[in-house]
Amino acid sequence: MNESFRIAQKLGLMFKPSDPLPKDMQAWAISQLHAPSPALGQPHKFATIAPWPDHLQPNLKKRAHMWRLYRENKKKERERKDGQDTQVAKEANRRNNLMRDKDELKFAQRNVYGDDQLRLRFAAFWANHFTIGNTFDTSSMIGHAIDEAIIANLNGDFANMLYLVTTHPGMLTYLDNVWSAGERSPHTKRCRKRPDCQAGLNDNLGRELLELHTLSPAAGYTEADIRNAAMVLSGWGMDFGASTQDMLERAKTTNHWQAFKPRYAEPGLKKVFGKTIYAGKNGLKQLTDYLAGNEYTIRFISTKLCQHFVSDKPKRTDIAYISEAWRQSNGQLDVIHTAVIERAIASDEAKFIWPMTWLFQVIRLSEATFFKGWEDIYNYDDDIMNTQKIFAELGQSFWSSRQPDGYSSKKEEWLSAEMLERRIRFADAIYNIGRVKHSTTKIMDRMGANETTRRLVASADSRRHKFIALMCSPELMGLSYV
Amino acid sequence: MSKIKFDRRDFIKASAASLFLAGVPIAGYTKDRPPGNIAVILLEGGMDGLTAVPPIGDPDLLRMRASMTPTDYLTLNPFFGLHPSLANYAALMARNEATVIHATSFPYTKRSHFEGQNLMEGGGLSPFAEKTGWLGRALELANLPGRALSLDMPLILRGHNDNDNFFPASIRKSKRPNANLVDMIAMSHQGDVGNLFHKVAKKSANKVNIPRDATSLAKYAGQEMSRADGPVASVIRVKRFDTHANQVADDGKDTHGNHAIQLAIVDDVIAAYREGLGDAWQDTIILTLTEFGRTVAANGTRGTDHGYGSAGLLAGGSITSSRVIADWPGLRKQDQYEERDLMATIDYRSICAACIERSLGLDHDKIASEIFFDSQLPRLYDYVFS
């Protein structure tokens, strides 16, 4: 592959045949960090590309309201009230009040049509680093977290993103913090006067904040550090279905992203990994700022960035380069991402491409259509599968019920006969229904395909087989450039 | 709740099913035995052994975790009960076809899911030390094939080229891949990836359409293992055991707590394996594997946090006498690991080793040194299979 396509594969989502190729790839890649980033998509398949409509992108308050309505209707459904137990009403409740289908399609479409391909790749990295798995209760919040906690803050600093993700209701719900209360909090003390009381600490988010989001186990923190982190977090978050009145009474706000319940918070000082943290709402920012700047965090995440964008087996020098950019800039994401871009461009190693990234790249390279239009989300289509089903079959989705460590960037975690068969099947489906606009020859010429790829494609006996062969070549799977 | 109260000393005297780990490892060669089957059910998230197999005779159980212990458990013996979700499993125990290992774990005490899962599958001396899995290495030594019922190839089965995986596909408007095309793609890829594509080419001849739930996959796996040329090992995942919240129902009849739901899946998976295996059940051992147990006490959200000791569920015709094998550590604060978790007194690697020895006919010393890289690993075969 020529330099343009090699860089677009490693760091972006590939050039569409209609995209002009930049002259200076490194300058282009760095400028992409500030590319305008509207979510682009199609209202119907094969329609003109347009920005995703506002009414399908509700804010957090509206999402919470919809979630409450959904729950109320489900209750009526169980009680067989107001006709909510009919199929039509059940379906309407799902369509009107749940956001997963819309959010997942929007994510897919913006990746296929977006002019901000590098931003989207970095967004995917962070959305995976800060995994919010789908527990159903989180299903209407995952998309909001990706858009508002991650994409909207890609040009800020890591500490800010860490704080915004940690306090996002999606994360607070996914890792059970919304139900946690300090052992010595007023709420727990009062509750424990009753025999059937259930109140106290839940350490789930505290543990993963240290293990997965910041320090990593290499730091050697203790169980006491985890517990203290959980105590700092106690009081944060409200159930997404809480009423406005309940929100005001307990958290004195109706904003779920700001919901801190003083009566559930552990009083007093806490000590986490050597740092003293004060009681109260501001303690968490103190903690996340401290963790964000810690040397273990810097090394851990610099290594992950390298593994995702540069090489499965990153070189010390690459990790050191990115860590140094992190230290020098106090965690400015623009500077860190620029360092990643520089190292990825300097490396001539192939980098394994995630299944979902590969899918977006195949669709872009051939200018095919493979996802439904936003107006057609709930309409049956003979050809196009539901978005949820596409990603489930592919084996990768940010809306799946995955574990909090997210997806590995290493190829050995993705290599199995079934996984490889899916690549062939999806390439086939895209060719068959996507109205692929460009021949394999044209695609190969533009990207400067290597001899292995050309021989493979030449050996295939039909246009369809040539397309599958090209997309499943070592080169386009990011497995080998020779 | 049972009126019978045992203290730990009484229990050890009374229960023939208990085990003291005082014995010297017994040397033994089982090479001549025809190979059987081995199936592993991975319980991801950390199963709570005290919920699955509550030690109802331990006077500290209710003191330490009243809210976590349902009243409708099944009674195995005066000391141990079984969660009501495991009704099929209880019937297997009654038929001498299932055995519980309690207060057990892989030797990992740090309570990270991801380190723990890596260690329980890799079977090395520390997390992330091995690129292959213990079952993969066992199959490599035995030169017999295994199969994962998942889209990915789990670490536990890596390490033997003949191992493969299966997961039903349903991709609209795509045809079964043409074998010639796939072979050409395979040839363009290097090493392992090329080999995997060749497997795709071979596999695409027979299409299997089954649902993707763990139970359907287990039945299919059992059928495949029962074939003379089928795999001798299989691996299935059951997720969502990480119940920090709402682990048990709040009405004393625990049918809809989060652990109850997952345990019912495990119960169904074992039943489905039995159905699929048919006569091959007689030579099969099924075992569960989980990365760790959970805290003895409930946390503040009707759940439990990550702990150390858990329980393992074994089933299959290879078992001749049902037992609860445990060197019970007790539940008092001072008996707990770091005053919070169930202590593990049995190294679960020894149980895995016994299952390998029984099903694949490998010698224990070879298993210990070449599969678990620990020549001192105690041999517990006779406790499980005699």
Side-chain angles (χ1 to χ4, degrees):
Chain A
M1 256 185 305
N2 57 38
E3 192 196 34
S4 307
F5 278 78
R6 188 170 56 78
I7 292 167
Q9 181 187 44
K10 270 190 153 174
L11 293 164
L13 294 163
M14 289 296 201
F15 294 107
K16 292 171 272 178
S18 54
D19 290 334
L21 296 185
K23 286 207 175 61
D24 180 341
M25 276 303 291
Q26 183 156 320
W28 169 81
I30 293 167
S31 75
Q32 269 273 308
L33 296 175
H34 288 270
S37 201
L40 298 180
Q42 283 175 318
H44 302 284
K45 63 178 174 181
F46 310 121
T48 310
I49 311 306
W52 193 266
D54 286 344
H55 74 275
L56 293 177
Q57 312 182 72
N59 63 23
L60 200 53
K61 203 166 191 169
K62 179 87 172 104
R63 283 169 189 255
H65 176 70
M66 288 156 66
W67 182 251
R68 277 199 297 279
L69 280 178
Y70 177 80
R71 301 292 290 265
E72 282 165 20
N73 288 338
K74 286 304 270 188
K75 188 163 177 278
K76 287 179 186 166
E77 181 189 319
R78 286 192 297 275
E79 294 165 352
R80 298 172 182 277
K81 273 190 197 159
D82 296 354
Q84 283 299 326
D85 54 329
T86 65
Q87 272 310 317
V88 175
K90 280 196 269 186
E91 186 58 22
N93 190 26
R94 192 174 74 83
R95 290 180 184 187
N96 295 337
N97 295 322
L98 296 183
M99 283 305 298
R100 183 236 168 110
D101 293 334
K102 293 148 202 155
D103 289 343
E104 194 166 18
L105 178 62
K106 173 178 153 188
F107 180 77
Q109 287 200 343
R110 79 186 300 171
N111 273 278
V112 168
Y113 301 112
D115 296 321
D116 50 347
Q117 50 173 306
L118 265 81
R119 276 179 73 81
L120 290 170
R121 283 290 304 277
F122 281 106
F125 172 85
W126 291 111
N128 187 62
H129 179 76
F130 294 116
T131 288
I132 300 175
N134 192 343
T135 59
F136 188 68
D137 284 358
T138 56
S139 60
S140 284
M141 295 185 261
I142 295 169
H144 185 272
I146 293 175
D147 287 354
E148 301 303 327
I150 289 169
I151 297 181
N153 296 291
L154 276 175
N155 301 113
D157 59 38
F158 173 73
N160 188 45
M161 186 187 279
L162 174 66
Y163 179 74
L164 289 173
V165 173
T166 308
T167 55
H168 193 278
M171 186 64 83
L172 294 170
T173 306
Y174 175 48
L175 293 179
D176 301 317
N177 204 74
V178 289
W179 301 289
S180 182
E183 294 291 329
R184 295 184 300 129
S185 68
H187 170 76
T188 302
K189 279 185 177 167
R190 186 171 166 185
C191 173
R192 286 195 177 149
K193 289 176 183 157
R194 302 195 313 261
D196 60 340
C197 158
Q198 276 289 322
L201 205 65
N202 180 317
D203 75 13
N204 204 2
L205 180 56
R207 181 181 303 276
E208 306 307 10
L209 173 63
L210 302 189
E211 177 176 341
L212 299 175
H213 300 163
T214 60
L215 301 175
S216 90
Y221 50 78
T222 65
E223 205 61 40
D225 290 320
I226 292 169
R227 203 164 168 79
N228 274 276
M231 287 194 248
V232 175
L233 282 158
S234 62
W236 274 96
M238 289 282 295
D239 188 300
F240 211 42
S243 68
T244 305
Q245 192 193 344
D246 192 16
M247 293 279 300
L248 286 171
E249 274 173 18
R250 289 201 281 170
K252 304 200 169 33
T253 176
T254 54
N255 181 352
H256 273 277
W257 214 343
Q258 292 283 339
F260 175 78
K261 314 176 295 275
R263 289 183 55 80
Y264 289 66
E266 178 76 12
L269 300 176
K270 294 103 191 168
K271 201 161 192 180
V272 182
F273 205 54
K275 171 80 176 173
T276 302
I277 308 289
Y278 296 102
K281 188 175 183 181
N282 295 333
L284 181 57
K285 183 80 172 90
Q286 211 194 340
L287 174 62
T288 54
D289 281 353
Y290 169 68
L291 294 172
N294 189 280
E295 186 56 29
Y296 283 103
T297 302
I298 295 173
R299 265 186 268 167
F300 171 55
I301 303 180
S302 297
T303 306
K304 272 186 87 172
L305 280 160
C306 260
Q307 261 165 1
H308 192 75
F309 292 103
V310 183
S311 163
D312 271 16
K313 295 189 182 73
K315 294 190 182 74
R316 276 166 191 274
T317 46
D318 289 334
I319 297 169
Y321 188 88
I322 295 165
S323 313
E324 191 51 26
W326 190 312
R327 274 178 223 114
Q328 292 297 325
S329 69
N330 284 322
Q332 282 296 315
L333 291 171
D334 279 343
V335 178
I336 296 166
H337 292 161
T338 300
V340 172
I341 290 169
E342 287 166 355
R343 298 324 290 173
I345 290 177
S347 157
D348 54 7
E349 262 183 82
K351 177 65 197 87
F352 175 78
I353 301 297
W354 268 348
M356 77 171 156
T357 311
W358 170 88
L359 185 80
F360 299 142
Q361 293 186 344
V362 170
I363 298 170
R364 290 171 72 108
L365 277 171
S366 57
E367 276 191 316
T369 291
F370 197 62
F371 292 100
K372 285 185 169 179
W374 66 66
E375 298 288 348
D376 298 325
I377 294 178
Y378 298 110
N379 299 337
Y380 179 81
D381 187 299
D382 267 344
D383 292 334
I384 298 187
M385 292 155 72
N386 283 335
T387 315
Q388 182 178 338
K389 179 94 171 133
I390 289 173
F391 288 108
E393 288 290 331
L394 198 60
Q396 191 180 25
S397 167
F398 288 157
W399 283 264
S400 66
S401 66
R402 60 212 185 109
Q403 298 200 94
D405 58 339
Y407 294 113
S408 173
S409 297
K410 294 183 189 172
K411 70 176 173 198
E412 65 247 35
E413 300 300 324
W414 294 99
L415 292 180
S416 76
E418 288 291 343
M419 282 286 184
L420 297 180
E421 195 211 354
R422 298 304 186 275
R423 303 283 184 120
I424 296 172
R425 297 282 299 262
F426 273 107
D428 190 19
I430 290 167
Y431 181 84
N432 290 330
I433 65 156
R435 291 194 198 165
V436 166
K437 286 192 188 143
H438 308 279
S439 72
T440 45
T441 311
K442 188 175 164 192
I443 296 170
M444 286 193 296
D445 286 348
R446 193 152 190 265
M447 69 181 230
N450 67 26
E451 267 313 300
T452 307
T453 306
R454 286 179 188 276
R455 265 202 307 272
L456 168 62
V457 173
S459 69
D461 59 6
S462 66
R463 280 166 166 259
R464 176 178 152 238
H465 283 176
K466 283 180 194 298
F467 186 83
I468 296 171
L470 172 60
M471 298 309 173
C472 297
S473 64
E475 203 173 16
L476 280 186
M477 288 180 65
L479 287 165
S480 168
Y481 286 149
V482 290
Chain B
M1 178 51 77
S2 166
K3 291 270 191 287
I4 306 166
K5 302 284 187 205
F6 277 69
D7 72 15
R8 180 172 177 245
R9 202 167 289 280
D10 288 338
F11 162 67
I12 288 166
K13 274 190 288 187
S15 170
S18 72
L19 161 74
F20 256 133
L21 284 180
V24 180
I26 304 147
Y29 293 88
T30 51
K31 268 181 206 145
D32 300 332
R33 196 198 303 277
N37 298 306
I38 177 169
V40 178
I41 309 171
L42 300 172
L43 311 181
E44 283 184 352
M47 184 188 74
D48 184 15
L50 296 175
T51 288
V53 187
I56 50 179
D58 190 317
D60 294 308
L61 179 71
L62 286 191
R63 212 168 53 73
M64 297 307 301
R65 51 154 55 200
S67 64
M68 286 289 108
T69 308
T71 55
D72 55 346
Y73 58 81
L74 312 162
T75 304
L76 292 177
N77 64 27
F79 198 81
F80 288 108
L82 197 61
H83 192 279
S85 289
L86 297 170
N88 161 67
Y89 190 81
L92 291 176
M93 287 198 83
R95 297 162 50 109
N96 279 318
E97 292 186 336
T99 277
V100 172
I101 320 293
H102 217 322
T104 182
S105 178
F106 268 63
Y108 173 71
T109 55
K110 282 166 64 183
R111 307 188 189 98
S112 148
H113 289 299
F114 317 105
E115 289 189 339
Q117 286 168 9
N118 189 277
L119 191 74
M120 79 172 179
E121 295 192 41
L125 298 178
S126 62
F128 299 102
E130 300 303 324
K131 297 282 177 210
T132 58
W134 61 261
L135 189 53
R137 291 192 293 276
L139 293 162
E140 173 78 7
L141 283 176
N143 198 23
L144 292 164
R147 184 169 300 170
L149 284 303
S150 56
L151 199 43
D152 63 332
M153 176 57 82
L155 175 64
I156 187 172
L157 264 178
R158 293 181 208 161
H160 181 48
N161 266 336
D162 291 343
N163 290 347
D164 62 10
N165 67 331
F166 170 77
F167 200 68
S170 163
I171 298 162
R172 203 180 293 167
K173 300 292 172 182
S174 78
K175 298 199 187 77
R176 237 160 53 191
N178 170 298
N180 284 339
L181 170 68
V182 183
D183 274 329
M184 281 185 290
I185 294 173
M187 281 184 283
S188 75
H189 281 270
Q190 298 161 355
D192 293 352
V193 187
N195 293 338
L196 288 171
F197 269 114
H198 278 302
K199 279 183 195 170
V200 177
K202 271 189 227 154
K203 185 182 82 92
S204 53
N206 37 27
K207 190 180 174 184
V208 184
N209 246 336
I210 54 169
R212 293 113 195 276
D213 60 282
T215 309
S216 304
L217 293 171
K219 186 178 164 192
Y220 164 81
Q223 287 164 346
E224 289 292 289
M225 288 163 79
S226 72
R227 290 190 1 236
D229 61 344
V232 301
S234 68
V235 175
I236 282 178
R237 279 196 190 95
V238 179
K239 299 179 184 181
R240 305 179 85 151
F241 273 94
D242 190 24
T243 48
H244 290 272
N246 301 320
Q247 177 172 317
V248 296
D250 52 9
D251 55 6
K253 296 269 187 262
D254 190 22
T255 55
H256 50 280
N258 287 334
H259 244 61
I261 293 166
Q262 297 317 101
L263 288 172
I265 294 172
V266 175
D267 201 51
D268 288 346
V269 163
I270 293 172
Y273 257 121
R274 184 159 174 258
E275 189 189 342
L277 282 159
D279 292 344
W281 168 262
Q282 285 315 318
D283 301 313
T284 297
I285 182 72
I286 301 172
L287 71 155
T288 63
L289 205 59
T290 193
E291 66 259 36
F292 46 54
R294 311 196 69 82
T295 48
V296 173
N299 64 14
T301 56
R302 209 177 279 284
T304 50
D305 292 329
H306 305 182
Y308 176 33
S310 183
L313 306 177
L314 273 54
S318 292
I319 288 169
T320 52
S321 175
S322 286
R323 299 167 188 162
V324 179
I325 300 175
D327 175 10
W328 192 246
L331 292 177
R332 293 172 305 173
K333 204 82 180 161
Q334 62 266 39
D335 301 328
Q336 297 170 11
Y337 176 70
E338 293 185 346
E339 300 195 343
R340 78 195 270 294
D341 310 335
L342 175 62
M343 178 63 89
T345 51
I346 295 177
D347 186 338
Y348 202 65
R349 294 179 305 166
S350 287
I351 305 302
C352 300
C355 292
I356 294 169
E357 184 176 339
R358 176 68 184 79
S359 57
L360 304 182
L362 297 171
D363 167 58
H364 175 79
D365 290 343
K366 202 174 172 69
I367 296 170
S369 59
E370 293 181 35
I371 295 173
F372 291 106
F373 312 113
D374 181 358
S375 56
Q376 302 301 307
L377 187 69
R379 182 175 183 267
L380 299 184
Y381 184 94
D382 293 330
Y383 294 105
V384 182
F385 290 109
S386 66

